[in-house]
Amino acid sequence: EKLMAASLFDYNVVNLTPFDDQLSMFVFNDAILNRGSERWISQMLEWRFANIRLFEELMRNAIETGELRHEGDPKPLLDRLYAGLWLLNVGHRDLASQSRGHNNSLSLLIQRDSPIIENLRLLINAFDWRQPLDADGVERTFQALEDEGLR
C-alpha cells in the first residue's frame, strides 16, 4: 500500500511549483547537465540519489521485518522493484503531461479506475509480500491519502 501511495499523490498539492513535473524531467536532460554548474549538477544528483537511498532503506526494512520476503542479496530485487515503479510512474506522468490539450482522458491525478492502478498492483504483487496488495488495500491507500489532504 505504501508503494502505491507514492504514485497517487495529487501533485497539485505536493509539488513546490506548478512546473515541478516538467522541471524534474528537464534537469536530467544531457543538454542541461552539460551546461549546468558543477554545484547545481551535484545538488540535482544528490537529490536523486537521496530518493533512491530512502527507497532502498525502506525496502531493506521491509525485508528485515518479513513484510517483503527475500533470501540473499537484496540489491537485484530492489533494483527491479525500483525500476518498475519508476517506469510506471514517470511514464504515466510523461504521457499525461504530453496529452494535455488533446482531449485525452489521461490525467496526472490517477483515479481509482485508471489502468495504471492494475499495472501497479500487478507489479507490486510480482514480489513476495507477506500480504499481497488487493482491491481493499488499494481503496485503503486512496482513503488514507484523501484523509491526509494529499489527493
Side-chain angles (χ1 to χ4, degrees):
E1 293 174 22
K2 294 172 191 171
L3 289 176
M4 179 167 274
S7 302
L8 300 179
F9 291 124
D10 180 347
Y11 290 99
N12 292 318
V13 174
V14 298
N15 282 352
L16 297 176
T17 69
F19 51 86
D20 274 9
D21 290 331
Q22 293 81 9
L23 185 61
S24 67
M25 291 189 186
F26 183 69
V27 297
F28 294 108
N29 176 297
D30 285 340
I32 299 301
L33 290 174
N34 289 334
R35 289 183 178 89
S37 73
E38 201 170 304
R39 180 175 173 258
W40 183 82
I41 292 169
S42 177
Q43 287 177 329
M44 291 298 107
L45 292 175
E46 179 52 36
W47 171 79
R48 175 178 270 182
F49 293 131
N51 286 325
I52 293 170
R53 284 191 304 271
L54 177 60
F55 171 81
E56 287 181 351
E57 179 184 325
L58 294 171
M59 292 302 97
R60 286 177 194 277
N61 185 52
I63 291 170
E64 289 172 12
T65 62
E67 187 178 356
L68 175 58
R69 293 182 281 235
H70 181 72
E71 298 289 327
D73 181 11
K75 183 76 169 124
L77 173 103
L78 299 180
D79 288 346
R80 286 192 308 272
L81 182 55
Y82 184 83
L85 290 168
W86 185 85
L87 288 166
L88 279 173
N89 288 319
V90 171
H92 176 267
R93 289 172 68 188
D94 188 40
L95 285 173
S97 292
Q98 289 179 23
S99 67
R100 287 186 199 161
H102 297 288
N103 294 327
N104 190 321
S105 62
L106 191 58
S107 167
L108 279 173
L109 182 61
I110 299 171
Q111 302 301 321
R112 283 170 167 82
D113 62 350
S114 173
I116 197 168
I117 295 296
E118 183 62 11
N119 288 317
L120 281 166
R121 195 185 67 73
L122 289 170
L123 172 68
I124 291 167
N125 286 341
F127 297 85
D128 190 14
W129 297 94
R130 181 175 49 220
Q131 180 167 345
L133 182 61
D134 59 13
D136 290 337
V138 171
E139 184 53 36
R140 278 191 303 273
T141 303
F142 271 98
Q143 193 59 55
L145 291 171
E146 289 165 355
D147 292 348
E148 294 298 320
L150 298 172
R151 282 196 56 81

